[in-house]
Amino acid sequence: MTTSLVLDIHFLKEAICQDLSTRDIRRCMLVCRAWHTNFSPYLWRDITLRRRHTFKRFNLPETQAILERYAQNVRVVNNIFADIWPIFCKHPIHNLTVLKSPVVRRQNWTHKISNNYNRNIIALLEANPYLHTLELGHFSNASETLEDLLEAIQNHNSLQRVRIDHPRAALSSPMFGLVLLACLKLQSIFINIGVHGTYGQMEPTRYTFLRLASLLDETSPTTTLKELHFPGKIYPGDHYVFMSILALCPGLEQLTLPKMNYFDVTPTLASTIVAMPQLQHLNVRSANVPFIHLNEIIQACAGLTTFIAGDSPRSDHAEWTMVTELLHHHDTLEVLDLTGSRATGVTGAMMHAMLCVVPNLKEFVAMGPVVIKRKHGYCGDPILRVSDMEGAREGPAWVCRRLKVLRLRFENTDPCEGDVAASEEAQGDQNVRPAQLRIVPRALVDHLSKLTLLEDLRLGRVIPGNDQLGDQPTPVGHSPAEITSHRTNQESQALPQDKAITLSMALEALSSLQRLKRLELRNLKEFLDKPCLRNSRKQWKDIEWTQYS
C-alpha cells in the first residue's frame, strides 16, 4: 500500500500555490528537500526584471539552465530591458498570460533595434496562445514590423487588454486608425501616443488595404471593445479618425477623451455617446473642452458611475450647469475626481452640494499630490471653506455614507466678532502652542465622523490668503520660526470658538472611524499633538500608515 502526500496531487498543489507570493514560496522551499522540489517550479511563475543587478543574475548560465527546465511554468513577465527579450524567445515559454514591457531602458533607439524589438514581441505573441494582457512602454513605427505587430494583435484569440504608453512616439492619422482597428476585438485598450498628421510618418500599405477591405465587406463590423483610453493629443484636422473608430464601439463602458483643441466636433461626440447606453466611466482630464460643450457630453451619458474632471476653459455660470448635469446621475455616481479643476471654476460650494446629494458615492478625490503653477494663475484643487458648509447642523448633511476614499482641502476664512480679541490674547500669551489653536472647522469634523466606512482620508489645510498649501519656500530674511508664528497668529483669528476645534479634538472625534487604513494630514504638522495621534491610532485597528507634513 502506497501513501500519497498532499503535494503529490497536482491540482491541490496548484490551489495552494495560487495565492502565495514569491516570498512565501521561497520560505516554503526552505522547509525540507521535498518541499524544495515541489515548490521550486512555482518560483518561476512571475519573472520581474526591473533592476540592473537582477538583469545580470538572469544572464548567468546556471539561471538560463533553470529557466529552460521550468519554462512551461512562466505565467507573467515584467521586463524593462530590451536586451533580454531574445533570451525569452529562445526558451520554450508557451503559457504566458501577462507580458509587460513598461519602460525600455535604452537611450538610442536605432531603426535596427526597433525592428528587433517588434520581432521579439511578435514572436512571444505567436508562441503564447493564452496571453490576455500586453503592455508596451515603447512603440516603434518601423514600417518593416509595425503592420506585422498589428496583425499579430488582431489575430490573437485570447488577447483582451493592450496598453501602449509611449508619449514620445508619433504616428500619422491613418496609422493611428489602424492601431485602433486592430484592437477592436479586444476588451480594453490604452494608447498614449501622439498623432501628428502625416508629416514624416509612413503611410499604410498592404495591411491597410486588407483591413479596410474586410471592413467594407461588413455593413456593421463586430466590436467587443469595452474600454477605450486615449489621453494623448490630437491636432485639428485629425479628429475624424478617432471619431470614426468611436462610432464603431457602441458597447463602450469606459472612455477617456484625448486632448482636443477644437470644439466643432462636440455635437458629433455627444451624438456618438448617446448611442452608448452602457457607458459608465468618463474621463475628461486631458480633454480641453469648454464647460458649455462638456455639459452636452455629460448630458448624453445615460448612467455615469465614474467621472474624472479636468482643466477646461471657463465659461460664465457654466460650472454650476456641469454640477447640475452631474447631479442628474446621483443614483449611479460612485467615483468623482475633481483634482486640478479649481482653474475651471469648481468651488467648495459645488463639492458640498455633491456630497449632500449623491448617496452611493464611494470615492471623492479633490486633492492631488502637488499644485501646478501656470502662466495665468494656479491650476490647483478646489477648496472647501466654512462658508460652504454654513448651517451644516441645521441644513443638509452629507448623505454619502458609503464613502471609502476622501481627499480634499479646507480653509478657514470667516472672521467675526470676538476673533480680534482672541487673536490679541494669543499674541500676548507666549505659552499658547500651535496644537492648542482651533484651526479645523467643526462642521467638517461632524460630517467626517459620520462616514464610518472611510478607509482613505487625506486632508490638506490651505493657509488663508495662500492658494499653494504652504508649499512656497521660506522668504529671504525670515526664519522658519517667524513664519510659523505668523501662521499661528493668522489661524487664531480665522474662526470663532464655536465653529472650530483643535486638531487633537478632531482626531479624537475621528477615532470612531474603525475601518480607517490611510491618513494624511497635509500642512498640519505644526498643529499636531503626537500623543493624541498615538491614542487615535490605537482605535484604528486596520491602520497601515499615517503621514503629516
Side-chain angles (χ1 to χ4, degrees):
M1 181 177 179
T2 60
T3 59
S4 60
L5 302 177
V6 174
L7 296 179
D8 294 336
I9 304 176
H10 177 70
F11 296 102
L12 291 178
K13 188 165 57 175
E14 286 281 348
I16 293 173
C17 298
Q18 183 177 2
D19 298 327
L20 294 181
S21 62
T22 304
R23 185 178 181 182
D24 295 334
I25 293 177
R26 287 173 179 162
R27 290 181 176 180
C28 294
M29 293 172 60
L30 298 176
V31 174
C32 62
R33 184 174 297 177
W35 280 40
H36 185 279
T37 304
N38 284 280
F39 283 97
S40 56
Y42 296 95
L43 192 63
W44 294 85
R45 290 181 308 179
D46 189 345
I47 299 178
T48 302
L49 301 174
R50 303 181 70 90
R51 297 181 180 179
R52 177 61 61 179
H53 73 275
T54 310
F55 169 75
K56 294 179 180 179
R57 290 173 56 186
F58 190 81
N59 274 329
L60 296 177
E62 51 268 25
T63 306
Q64 297 301 314
I66 299 175
L67 179 61
E68 183 73 22
R69 187 191 312 168
Y70 299 125
Q72 297 299 328
N73 296 90
V74 181
R75 298 292 186 272
V76 179
V77 173
N78 189 349
N79 172 41
I80 65 173
F81 301 99
D83 300 335
I84 213 72
W85 291 117
I87 298 178
F88 286 108
C89 296
K90 294 179 182 178
H91 294 286
I93 301 176
H94 304 300
N95 294 321
L96 274 181
T97 58
V98 178
L99 179 61
K100 297 182 180 180
S101 176
V103 179
V104 181
R105 292 190 175 182
R106 180 175 289 276
Q107 299 294 332
N108 300 320
W109 277 85
T110 62
H111 187 75
K112 181 179 179 181
I113 294 175
S114 298
N115 285 336
N116 292 335
Y117 177 78
N118 283 354
R119 291 191 184 97
N120 294 327
I121 299 299
I122 293 172
L124 290 173
L125 275 173
E126 296 176 349
N128 293 273
Y130 305 109
L131 189 71
H132 61 73
T133 301
L134 175 64
E135 296 185 8
L136 301 178
H138 176 79
F139 189 75
S140 172
N141 56 3
S143 58
E144 292 83 356
T145 56
L146 177 58
E147 295 182 353
D148 295 333
L149 177 62
L150 297 180
E151 190 172 1
I153 292 176
Q154 182 192 2
N155 296 331
H156 203 283
N157 296 325
S158 301
L159 197 60
Q160 298 179 1
R161 298 179 179 274
V162 171
R163 180 184 179 91
I164 302 173
D165 192 359
H166 191 187
R168 295 185 178 181
L171 288 178
S172 62
S173 298
M175 290 307 303
F176 174 69
L178 286 183
V179 175
L180 294 177
L181 287 175
C183 301
L184 287 182
K185 294 184 178 180
L186 305 179
Q187 296 290 329
S188 173
I189 179 173
F190 178 95
I191 301 180
N192 188 14
I193 55 178
V195 180
H196 299 285
T198 59
Y199 176 75
Q201 302 295 328
M202 73 168 191
E203 293 301 320
T205 55
R206 173 185 55 86
Y207 178 75
T208 305
F209 296 124
L210 293 178
R211 185 71 184 102
L212 293 178
S214 62
L215 284 177
L216 291 176
D217 293 338
E218 304 175 5
T219 56
S220 58
T222 57
T223 59
T224 59
L225 198 63
K226 294 183 179 181
E227 301 178 10
L228 176 58
H229 305 281
F230 178 50
K233 183 178 182 180
I234 300 181
Y235 285 87
D238 299 326
H239 61 274
Y240 66 92
V241 177
F242 179 77
M243 298 300 300
S244 301
I245 299 299
L246 195 62
L248 299 176
C249 306
L252 276 183
E253 298 178 359
Q254 299 185 16
L255 175 62
T256 299
L257 295 177
K259 185 176 182 180
M260 299 178 290
N261 295 326
Y262 43 85
F263 312 129
D264 54 339
V265 298
T266 305
T268 306
L269 181 61
S271 61
T272 305
I273 292 179
V274 169
M276 300 178 182
Q278 302 177 7
L279 187 63
Q280 301 175 357
H281 176 104
L282 182 61
N283 187 344
V284 296
R285 174 155 296 172
S286 301
N288 190 23
V289 180
F291 270 109
I292 298 178
H293 303 288
L294 185 59
N295 295 334
E296 300 178 10
I297 298 175
I298 298 176
Q299 188 178 6
C301 300
L304 283 179
T305 60
T306 303
F307 180 76
I308 301 177
D311 183 11
S312 302
R314 299 185 61 175
S315 303
D316 294 337
H317 307 292
E319 295 84 1
W320 272 108
T321 308
M322 184 199 73
V323 175
T324 304
E325 295 296 339
L326 285 176
L327 292 181
H328 290 162
H329 304 274
H330 68 278
D331 292 334
T332 59
L333 201 60
E334 296 181 357
V335 179
L336 186 60
D337 192 342
L338 301 176
T339 305
S341 61
R342 192 189 176 196
T344 64
V346 175
T347 62
M350 299 179 188
M351 293 195 301
H352 181 66
M354 294 179 185
L355 292 171
C356 292
V357 177
V358 184
N360 298 322
L361 202 61
K362 296 181 180 180
E363 294 186 17
F364 186 83
V365 181
M367 182 178 69
V370 293
V371 178
I372 304 174
K373 184 177 180 180
R374 293 195 171 184
K375 184 176 180 180
H376 302 288
Y378 296 97
C379 179
D381 305 322
I383 302 173
L384 184 64
R385 295 182 172 86
V386 179
S387 57
D388 302 327
M389 299 181 290
E390 282 294 337
R393 294 184 179 179
E394 299 81 6
W398 291 358
V399 298
C400 48
R401 300 301 172 85
R402 301 180 182 179
L403 201 63
K404 294 184 178 180
V405 178
L406 178 62
R407 304 174 188 176
L408 55 83
R409 304 195 299 169
F410 67 91
E411 181 182 6
N412 298 335
T413 54
D414 278 341
C416 54
E417 295 182 3
D419 295 343
V420 179
S423 175
E424 293 177 354
E425 181 181 356
Q427 293 177 6
D429 190 358
Q430 301 296 331
N431 297 323
V432 175
R433 297 184 297 111
Q436 298 175 348
L437 297 177
R438 300 172 179 263
I439 53 128
V440 182
R442 185 184 295 272
L444 177 61
V445 178
D446 291 341
H447 287 307
L448 294 177
S449 60
K450 298 176 183 178
L451 305 178
T452 57
L453 298 181
L454 264 184
E455 298 179 359
D456 189 335
L457 176 60
R458 309 191 185 191
L459 299 176
R461 180 183 66 96
V462 179
I463 302 174
N466 184 9
D467 188 25
Q468 291 187 321
L469 278 170
D471 294 334
Q472 291 179 338
T474 303
V476 179
H478 295 272
S479 63
E482 295 175 353
I483 300 300
T484 303
S485 175
H486 172 70
R487 290 180 182 177
T488 54
N489 292 335
Q490 194 175 16
E491 289 291 351
S492 64
Q493 61 180 353
L495 285 177
Q497 297 285 324
D498 60 338
K499 285 190 177 182
I501 59 177
T502 64
L503 183 58
S504 300
M505 297 170 62
L507 290 176
E508 185 178 355
L510 296 179
S511 60
S512 60
L513 306 179
Q514 299 294 331
R515 299 189 180 184
L516 194 63
K517 296 181 180 180
R518 294 171 292 274
L519 175 65
E520 180 183 357
L521 303 174
R522 189 178 301 179
N523 205 20
L524 288 167
K525 182 178 181 179
E526 54 188 337
F527 305 98
L528 183 64
D529 189 3
K530 292 186 178 180
C532 181
L533 178 61
R534 286 194 292 266
N535 294 333
S536 300
R537 283 180 62 95
K538 296 179 182 178
Q539 304 295 328
W540 302 322
K541 299 180 180 180
D542 299 331
I543 193 70
E544 296 176 357
W545 56 264
T546 57
Q547 181 180 354
Y548 45 87
S549 59

